[in-house]
């Protein structure tokens, strides 16, 4: 008889201990720090969206209706991106011709717009001009020497 009671109280103790352990465990789980939000794509590994990237040396070319004004006057061989800014009142473009460059032209852009033309310049003389109408004759041209 005695033995049975002891066994029962022992069992009770074990059950109580288990209940405590469970409670402690549950409590501990509840209090566990929430992992920081892992937002995929927000980390430093993510590459920025590919922006149109000017290649080589950037030269600004201001187009008025009667001139082309370049931001640089000395050139060495290499890759250049001419950024044409149309500050005139008519549509303009930018053409380039010289050693290794058959005439290439930028898109035609309206007043206030900007476009780009990337070319490889070698040593030599290059002509830049606007292909629209008689604009070249009006003064929309420039000559650069690459050395
Ligand atoms: Cu023009």
């Amino acid at each position: 008889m005695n033995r049975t009671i002891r066994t029962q109280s022992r069992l009770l103790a074990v059950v109580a201990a288990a209940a405590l352990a469970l409670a402690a465990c549950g409590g501990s789980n509840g209090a566990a720090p929430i992992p920081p939000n892992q937002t995929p794509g927000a980390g430093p590994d993510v590459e920025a969206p590919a922006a149109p990237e000017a290649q080589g040396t950037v030269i600004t070319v201001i187009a008025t209706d009667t001139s082309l004004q370049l931001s640089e006057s000395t050139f060495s061989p290499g890759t250049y991106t001419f950024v044409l800014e149309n500050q005139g009142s008519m549509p303009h473009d930018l053409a380039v011709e010289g050693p290794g460059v058959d005439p290439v032209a930028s898109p035609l852009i309206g007043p206030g717009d900007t476009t780009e033309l990337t070319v490889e310049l070698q040593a030599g003389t290059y002509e830049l001009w606007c292909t629209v109408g008689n604009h070249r004759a009006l003064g929309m041209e420039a000559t650069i020497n690459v050395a």
Side-chain angles (χ1 to χ4, degrees):
M1 204 62 176
N2 249 354
R3 188 186 167 133
T4 308
I5 287 167
R6 239 186 279 132
T7 308
Q8 275 177 346
S9 47
R10 218 173 172 182
L11 269 172
L12 278 174
V14 169
V15 168
L20 274 174
L22 275 175
C25 190
S28 144
N29 272 351
I34 297 161
N37 271 345
Q38 311 251 334
T39 32
D45 291 344
V46 176
E47 289 177 34
E53 201 169 320
Q55 295 174 32
T57 306
V58 173
I59 306 292
T60 302
V61 181
I62 306 292
T64 71
D65 293 335
T66 56
S67 70
L68 290 178
Q69 298 159 15
L70 277 63
S71 62
E72 296 288 334
S73 55
T74 57
F75 295 84
S76 53
T79 303
Y80 288 84
T81 294
F82 293 95
V83 177
L84 180 69
E85 293 183 18
N86 185 349
Q87 295 186 4
S89 61
M90 294 179 281
H92 297 296
D93 66 6
L94 178 68
V96 177
E97 181 179 20
V101 178
D102 291 334
V104 288
S106 73
L108 188 68
I109 55 168
D113 284 344
T114 298
T115 190
E116 293 182 359
L117 181 65
T118 300
V119 293
E120 287 285 339
L121 299 185
Q122 308 167 5
T125 300
Y126 291 80
E127 299 288 337
L128 284 67
W129 73 99
C130 174
T131 69
V132 176
N134 63 341
H135 292 188
R136 187 174 190 173
L138 290 175
M140 295 193 70
E141 64 177 351
T143 302
I144 61 174
N145 291 305
V146 180

